[in-house]
Amino acid sequence: MRRFCSSAAVHEEPITPPVEVKYNQLLINGQFVDAASGKTFPTFDPRTGEAITNVAEADTEDVNRAVSAARNAFDEGPWPKMTAYERSCIMLRFACLLEKHSDELAALETWDNGKPYEQAANEEIPMLIRLFRYYAGWADKIHGLTAPADTLHHVQTLHEPIGVAGQIIPWNFPLLMFAWKVGPALTCGNTVVLKPAEQTPLSALYVSKLFHEVGIPPGVLNVIPGSGKAGSTETGKAVLGAAAKSNLKPVTLELGGKSPFIICEDADIDKAVELAHSAVFYNQGQCCCAGSRTFVHERVYDEFVEKSKARALKRVVGDPFKKGVEQGPQIDTEQFEKILKYIKSGTESGATLESGGEKLGSKGFYVQPTVFSNVQDNMLIAKDEIFGPVQSLLKFKDVEEVIRRANSSHYGLAAGVFTQNLDAANTISRALRVGTVWVNCFNIFDAAIPFGGYKMSGHGREKGVYSLSNYLQVKAIVTPLKNPAWL
């Protein structure tokens, strides 16, 4: 039955992107080169499923070339030997150049990923620039300490770069994830080998070329597109296992989530509905921290369901280059089919389909904004990370119950709480076993706010001062003191 249709504009001819693909090779040692094997792979336009261009596909030989270039740049090159101020200046020049190319970057991100252009241009590109300015500011503020000793010795600590950082970024926020990883690694004096997601390699290649234009030395930043998934918990396990079996490389992991969004009985329902809607449907629902488990107090549940349904039906789905579009296509066929299977599972398990539930259009990977009510904790749509525009509405009676149920997940990335009661906000936010709790807000990603998970959502933190520790080693230096005037 096709009773629940969102506002859609997916039957029109796709808008021609206002940008050209300039870079589709591997970037190794400051040069764009073909893969050693000569192999390429297509990257697709999610609006149509058609190829945008073919991109060089790295394999083992190319990885070794990139690592060798990065190692040589660290051991023999100028980057780690520069003053921190000089590194900071290069990163600031890079941020300025990003501003000059912001329209092209937003268009390229939309074309390769499917996210709304207005989202990319007005939110993500400015944050990309802010992140690099933020990390540029940290470069000359990283320092060790002196510590008192019980004996006649001078003790100092140094914070040293770890060397070569291998980085894997996902496809849902390609440029922001580039900044989350590359920014702190470079500001600490490391060199980088970066693998962008195979679905979205174009923007990482573009901005890396810009980085070289402002003076980053060859070999410091290498980009090697290729096959392989990123972001999932299973991928994280594989990476961690490989690191342990090789040479015990330190690993940080920012993985999946199934974030609870808790609506208390005193909430302003209209505001809560809009915030909960944004929490799950933002970026086509392709957010690791999406508030996809919406817990609503039983006294306001029925009203919340009706208003959430109405909001989902008003959501504008269509060509992401079109003004006013809120939701573009999903990233690819695999994700598209996965979402539809979870929607089918929801209906088969007894949840009530309030809106959406089907694909939109005859081509591309568009999915209707979908809302389920009467969702139970044991249903797959309430347990698994769907990574799509699917909202599950669950009913709860009291604070103790919702805390227990919210924590009953192997994920622990983020959560939201909506209430006018400060005591309730404090009680719930401290009890939730997650890395971030947003109170009366959601998806706030300031450059200084650390982000990362508990449990199977990973370990280590991105952004903020805490991210620097991922890329530094601490060395203690102890020297004797002869007849010191003081200790």
Side-chain angles (χ1 to χ4, degrees):
M1 297 178 66
R2 304 182 64 87
R3 295 179 296 152
F4 313 122
C5 187
S6 303
S7 177
V10 298
H11 301 291
E12 304 169 0
E13 282 298 310
I15 295 171
T16 301
V19 67
E20 295 180 359
V21 176
K22 296 181 179 179
Y23 311 111
N24 60 355
Q25 295 173 287
L26 312 181
L27 180 59
I28 299 176
N29 205 29
Q31 300 294 322
F32 281 110
V33 296
D34 292 330
S37 66
K39 291 182 179 179
T40 63
F41 67 93
T43 184
F44 297 98
D45 183 344
R47 303 175 303 162
T48 62
E50 299 171 358
I52 298 172
T53 189
N54 289 317
V55 180
E57 182 175 3
D59 58 18
T60 302
E61 183 176 346
D62 303 301
V63 173
N64 289 338
R65 283 196 294 164
V67 172
S68 177
R71 172 52 61 187
N72 185 68
F74 183 79
D75 290 344
E76 307 296 336
W79 186 251
K81 300 177 181 65
M82 285 183 184
T83 66
Y85 177 68
E86 289 175 304
R87 286 199 300 273
S88 174
C89 288
I90 291 176
M91 295 178 73
L92 288 172
R93 291 200 299 271
F94 175 58
C96 290
L97 193 56
L98 290 175
E99 281 188 321
K100 293 180 180 179
H101 291 265
S102 58
D103 291 344
E104 297 164 88
L105 292 173
L108 195 60
E109 196 83 327
T110 294
W111 192 10
D112 209 16
N113 174 275
K115 65 178 69 231
Y117 176 81
E118 291 176 338
Q119 174 186 319
N122 300 331
E123 300 173 29
E124 296 183 20
I125 302 304
M127 179 53 70
L128 166 73
I129 296 164
R130 174 69 180 99
L131 283 161
F132 274 100
R133 287 185 171 140
Y134 174 83
Y135 283 115
W138 267 113
D140 58 0
K141 299 170 187 66
I142 297 170
H143 55 78
L145 302 170
T146 57
D150 293 337
T151 56
L152 295 180
H153 291 87
H154 173 75
V155 181
Q156 69 179 104
T157 61
L158 301 178
H159 292 180
E160 300 183 342
I162 57 173
V164 178
Q167 301 180 325
I168 304 170
I169 58 174
W171 47 258
N172 55 337
F173 293 97
L175 283 175
L176 289 182
M177 298 302 100
F178 177 94
W180 285 20
K181 295 293 186 183
V182 173
L186 294 186
T187 203
C188 292
N190 299 283
T191 58
V192 170
V193 176
L194 177 81
K195 182 202 170 296
E198 61 185 287
Q199 295 89 343
T200 54
L202 299 180
S203 58
L205 291 168
Y206 194 110
V207 296
S208 296
K209 176 63 167 59
L210 296 181
F211 227 142
H212 284 80
E213 290 182 15
V214 298
I216 196 171
V220 172
L221 176 58
N222 306 274
V223 183
I224 50 171
S227 61
K229 296 182 179 181
S232 72
T233 297
E234 291 306 312
T235 300
K237 288 181 179 179
V239 170
L240 191 61
K245 290 178 181 178
S246 56
N247 59 357
L248 290 177
K249 302 179 195 67
V251 176
T252 65
L253 300 169
E254 192 270 285
L255 305 174
K258 189 70 176 176
S259 300
F261 191 97
I262 299 168
I263 311 298
C264 296
E265 62 180 308
D266 65 343
D268 180 317
I269 296 302
D270 291 336
K271 291 181 180 178
V273 165
E274 185 62 32
L275 190 59
H277 178 87
S278 175
V280 67
F281 291 111
Y282 184 75
N283 204 51
Q284 293 70 252
Q286 296 170 155
C287 296
C288 51
C289 60
S292 53
R293 286 189 296 156
T294 309
F295 288 94
V296 185
H297 193 278
E298 61 181 6
R299 293 181 183 174
V300 296
Y301 184 81
D302 291 342
E303 179 184 1
F304 193 93
V305 169
E306 287 304 310
K307 290 185 174 180
S308 294
K309 171 183 176 179
R311 178 62 180 91
L313 290 172
K314 292 179 181 177
R315 188 168 182 82
V316 181
V317 183
D319 190 320
F321 281 104
K322 187 173 183 179
K323 187 175 182 179
V325 165
E326 297 176 278
Q327 180 177 315
Q330 310 307 131
I331 186 68
D332 61 13
T333 301
E334 181 180 355
Q335 188 63 25
F336 175 75
E337 296 294 341
K338 173 188 171 184
I339 294 166
L340 293 177
K341 286 180 181 178
Y342 272 112
I343 292 173
K344 182 180 180 182
S345 168
T347 57
E348 291 177 346
S349 62
T352 302
L353 180 63
E354 298 287 350
S355 65
E358 298 182 4
K359 67 178 182 179
L360 276 174
S362 58
K363 62 181 179 180
F365 310 122
Y366 295 91
V367 176
Q368 292 177 343
T370 300
V371 177
F372 281 105
S373 64
N374 299 313
V375 178
Q376 305 302 313
D377 293 344
N378 61 350
M379 296 178 179
L380 290 180
I381 58 172
K383 296 193 301 182
D384 291 359
E385 184 180 37
I386 300 173
F387 227 60
V390 181
Q391 184 178 36
S392 295
L393 303 179
L394 303 96
K395 186 185 298 184
F396 74 93
K397 293 183 179 180
D398 55 50
V399 168
E400 291 74 17
E401 174 200 330
V402 77
I403 289 172
R404 173 180 54 79
R405 292 170 62 193
N407 282 332
S408 183
S409 170
H410 60 272
Y411 293 116
L413 189 56
V417 181
F418 201 95
T419 179
Q420 299 179 53
N421 186 319
L422 182 59
D423 291 335
N426 285 331
T427 296
I428 295 171
S429 60
R430 287 174 179 266
L432 294 173
R433 295 194 290 273
V434 298
T436 299
V437 179
W438 287 293
V439 179
N440 296 332
C441 60
F442 208 89
N443 284 337
I444 305 302
F445 292 106
D446 188 273
I449 300 174
F451 186 78
Y454 289 18
K455 300 184 282 188
M456 299 293 279
S457 289
H459 52 76
R461 291 295 180 268
E462 311 288 346
K463 300 192 291 108
V465 63
Y466 296 95
S467 66
L468 301 177
S469 62
N470 300 331
Y471 301 101
L472 294 168
Q473 299 188 97
V474 178
K475 177 185 288 182
I477 299 177
V478 183
T479 56
L481 291 172
K482 300 291 185 180
N483 300 317
W486 51 270
L487 287 175

